[in-house]
């Protein structure tokens, strides 16, 4: 099926130069796709530190299990990503494949198997043969032959994405400029054309794995864990950060803890970069015609605000209203109500963009259906609700629910 | 918007004779609909006992608040239902309307205001004037003039329903036959064309309110609380049972407690009737082309099984796969995984109808895509998953997610 490009596809991309300590290779396994690369390897300098967060699914894929088991080691020598078969729900055969890929990659780069990290995306429940992957390692780990760019890498991990997702920043750590590059692929659809959410960030900053994990765990809550396309969690969602430390050669100090004040600019830049990538995933949500920012304020605490925000963002009625450009604040009331968090109905207020539609538990006397309906014609829509019970706030991002989503996910397989 | 009738609309209806102790009246308020009745009153004999369960929404409608406040009194003299305006998110004006309607109905039937129960369905956030309702009470409470049938009643409370929902049973209590009639209206859509779920059951059995509440609270879990159309909870969902006690005149003993063994047949019949009505609501779900029964077994306990079953039933990916007649068990794996309940991935098994697609955490070796795909062409589809960790089971019902749902809820307002 040929997918129509998202209306939110970027018109230009930032330059993504090579970063010290990382060498990239892409190739075509031919497992599923014809005529495109679907395998990425990133070889990393010795001493590269690693941090990761993974799907909370109780039925995770074999690569997710592998990564979780080895994250504690704190060091990485290679990342292997294939976009054809998720190696999920494949039982002991899946574990064997992961071990075989790790062993082959470790041998090729001279590291340990426990320093090889993996992610797979694609069909669920089909056995994944390691051979089409490992047979390419001779070339991919050969510095003479493999020299892919970050754009190539971002393209190789795509499945149903309609545009390439990359982001970059450069930032100062105690007088040395370091680079941060991120690539991601989008979400929305599980087997047979699985579109797990994957994100990988690379930096030459010398940051210890504990510090890196601290930053990632903090910022994931306001980025990849603050987006939803259809509320369906994949078995394979993976977000990892790798820090090669190559900037040490330019005098950058080694950073051991996440709250080191010298990391402040880096932390802010990482947070913004993760949020950029996460928003790209939503903008490329299946069938998306509107990008929605949902902000909840006045909740009991931030966690409660986020639960309410996600209830609104996941409401099919709110999402179809956005698709229909209908300023239907009654559906927001219903979604707030069903979230189960404390709310004072008689203090609830709702805004669509600059327009307050409801206040004190009633329709706003100043409410203009015409202005609100005009506002809904925008491609990017802000919905805000104040619950009137506390100081908690949260923002999440989602897209609308359209005929395009049904067509992509529900129409007969050809 | 003219709605296409559900493919699951019944071809014939049971006869619903009058039941002692209840007198019904229907009328047209003209508030929203033209040329149809949208107001139902049921006048009840003195001493009628009452039980109810209501939406768990934190932003309930004014009538829900009223009913909850007065349910403890245990006796009812009238039910008033309007299907035009939900009187939800209407602030203190909404409370005033409810009080005015209750006072007028109490005066008309000679009861107390606290014995008047109400439900409203329709647009959210629009003030509801009591006058178009109360001005009809003179006629509706006049035994000479108002003599509607239960079919008339079921028709008067419809909003976006495409077929009338009634069910009936007659059952023996200690040698006396009593009648149970139920009416319901469907769900799926909130304001401006709200389609809250409402259900009302009437019996002439002399059952005390505590016993009635015990039965209702027990059976709602396997009926109205075991269905989902789009996971959106309305501000107004209401399910009530009224027992007039008229069968006392035919020698039926008064029953005081829910576990009285003489109530066994009644309890079973009530359970089946509530389940029938609930399934009708799903079969009339907006845009439904498939009726799905989701059964989870092998869970830690029944509550865990139900949470997993609802996660599967609410998964847009499972629902669109059903719409596309795609035997996509990978999406069931993903939905089970995201539910957050204990599951043993390597013992998980999945059936679509009689066909086991996955076992021991892998695709079943005997799996036939052809047979499974053929099965998906049925209008009613059973999906079963065994989690492999315990004895808990649960069954829930839902419908598929189709272009029809998007059209009804998302297309531009005309």
């Amino acid at each position: 099926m040929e997918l129509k490009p998202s209306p939110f596809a970027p018109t230009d991309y930032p330059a993504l130069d090579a970063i010290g300590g990382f060498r990239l290779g892409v190739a075509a396994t031919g497992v599923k796709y014809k005529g495109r690369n679907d395998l990425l390897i990133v070889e990393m300098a010795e001493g590269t530190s690693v941090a990761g967060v993974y799907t909370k699914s109780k039925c995770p894929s074999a690569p997710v299990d592998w990564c979780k088991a080895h994250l504690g080691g704190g060091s990485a020598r290679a990342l292997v990503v294939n976009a054809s078969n998720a190696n999920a729900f494949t039982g002991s055969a899946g574990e064997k494949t992961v071990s075989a890929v790790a062993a082959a990659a470790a041998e090729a780069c001279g590291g340990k198997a426990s320093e090889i990290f993996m992610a797979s995306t694609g069909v669920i429940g089909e056995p994944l043969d390691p051979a089409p992957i490992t047979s390419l390692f001779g070339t991919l780990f050969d510095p003479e032959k493999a020299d892919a760019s970050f754009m190539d890498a971002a393209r190789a991990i795509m499945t149903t994405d309609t545009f390439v997702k990359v982001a970059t920043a450069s930032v100062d750590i105690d007088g040395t400029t370091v680079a941060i590059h991120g690539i991601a692929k989008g979400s929305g659809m599980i087997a047979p054309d699985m579109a797990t959410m994957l994100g990988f960030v690379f930096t030459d900053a010398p940051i210890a794995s504990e510090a890196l994990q601290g930053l990632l765990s903090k910022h994931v809550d306001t980025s990849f864990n603050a987006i939803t396309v259809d509320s369906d969690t994949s078995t394979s969602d993976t977000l990892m950060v790798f820090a090669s430390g190559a900037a040490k050669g330019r005098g950058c100090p080694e950073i051991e803890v996440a709250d080191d004040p010298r990391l402040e600019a880096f932390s802010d830049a990482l947070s913004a970069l993760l949020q950029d990538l996460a928003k790209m995933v939503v903008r490329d949500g299946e069938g998306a015609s509107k990008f929605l920012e949902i902000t909840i304020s006045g909740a009991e605490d931030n966690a409660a605000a986020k639960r309410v925000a996600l209830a609104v963002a996941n409401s099919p009625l709110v999402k179809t209203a956005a698709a229909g450009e209908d300023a239907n604040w009654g559906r927001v009331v219903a979604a707030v109500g069903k979230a189960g968090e404390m709310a004072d109905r008689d203090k609830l207020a709702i805004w669509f963009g600059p327009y307050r539609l409801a206040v004190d538990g009633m329709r706003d006397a100043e409410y203009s259906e015409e202005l609100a309906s005009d506002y809904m014609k925008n491609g990017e829509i802000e919905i805000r609700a104040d619950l009137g019970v506390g100081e908690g706030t949260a923002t999440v991002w989602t897209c609308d629910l359209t005929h395009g989503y049904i067509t992509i996910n529900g129409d007969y397989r050809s």
Side-chain angles (χ1 to χ4, degrees), chain A residues 6-9 161-163 165 184-188 197 223-230 274-294 310 313-314 319 379-381 396-401:
Chain A
S6 161
F8 301 106
D161 302 67
T162 74
F163 63 83
K165 295 168 188 70
K185 71 169 293 295
S187 82
M197 196 161 72
S223 59
F224 282 86
N225 281 344
I227 60 171
T228 178
V229 169
D230 57 9
L274 290 172
Q275 211 170 80
D276 274 359
L277 288 173
K279 287 184 186 176
M280 285 180 212
V281 168
V282 169
R283 286 192 169 91
D284 204 9
E286 291 168 342
S289 75
K290 303 278 183 188
F291 176 79
L292 311 181
E293 177 170 295
I294 316 283
L310 284 171
N314 281 324
K319 291 160 80 81
E380 311 220 343
I381 292 168
V396 306
W397 297 276
T398 190
C399 56
D400 57 348
L401 174 57

Side-chain angles (χ1 to χ4, degrees), chain A residues 186-366:
Chain A
S187 82
M189 196 192 289
I190 316 290
D193 295 297
M194 186 176 199
T196 292
M197 196 161 72
L198 301 181
F200 305 103
V201 177
F202 307 90
T203 179
D204 53 355
I207 303 176
S209 59
E210 291 78 3
L212 210 55
Q213 186 68 45
L215 294 181
L216 179 60
S217 300
K218 178 179 168 191
H219 297 315
V220 73
D221 275 340
T222 50
S223 59
F224 282 86
N225 281 344
I227 60 171
T228 178
V229 169
D230 57 9
S231 81
D232 272 335
T233 306
S234 136
T235 55
S236 310
D237 291 334
T238 296
L239 177 61
M240 300 188 77
V241 185
F242 302 94
S244 69
K248 264 189 296 188
R250 300 197 309 279
C252 188
E254 293 184 58
I255 309 284
E256 299 292 336
V257 294
D259 58 1
D260 188 314
R262 293 170 298 178
L263 261 192
E264 201 178 315
F266 183 93
S267 175
D268 289 349
L270 178 65
S271 171
L273 181 142
L274 290 172
Q275 211 170 80
D276 274 359
L277 288 173
K279 287 184 186 176
M280 285 180 212
V281 168
V282 169
R283 286 192 169 91
D284 204 9
E286 291 168 342
S289 75
K290 303 278 183 188
F291 176 79
L292 311 181
E293 177 170 295
I294 316 283
T295 299
I296 301 296
S297 59
E300 206 177 356
D301 54 35
N302 291 351
K306 190 160 176 189
R307 284 189 288 270
V308 175
L310 284 171
V312 174
N314 281 324
S315 161
L317 291 169
V318 170
K319 291 160 80 81
T320 48
E325 304 191 337
D326 177 3
N328 197 323
W329 59 273
R331 296 186 182 178
V332 178
V333 174
V336 168
K338 80 168 175 172
E341 297 299 329
M342 241 211 312
D344 185 336
R345 186 186 57 195
D346 296 337
K347 286 186 186 161
L348 190 60
I350 295 170
W351 292 256
F352 279 29
Y355 304 109
R356 192 175 68 184
L357 308 187
V359 63
D360 296 337
M362 283 182 283
R363 189 174 60 188
D364 193 322
E366 310 282 303

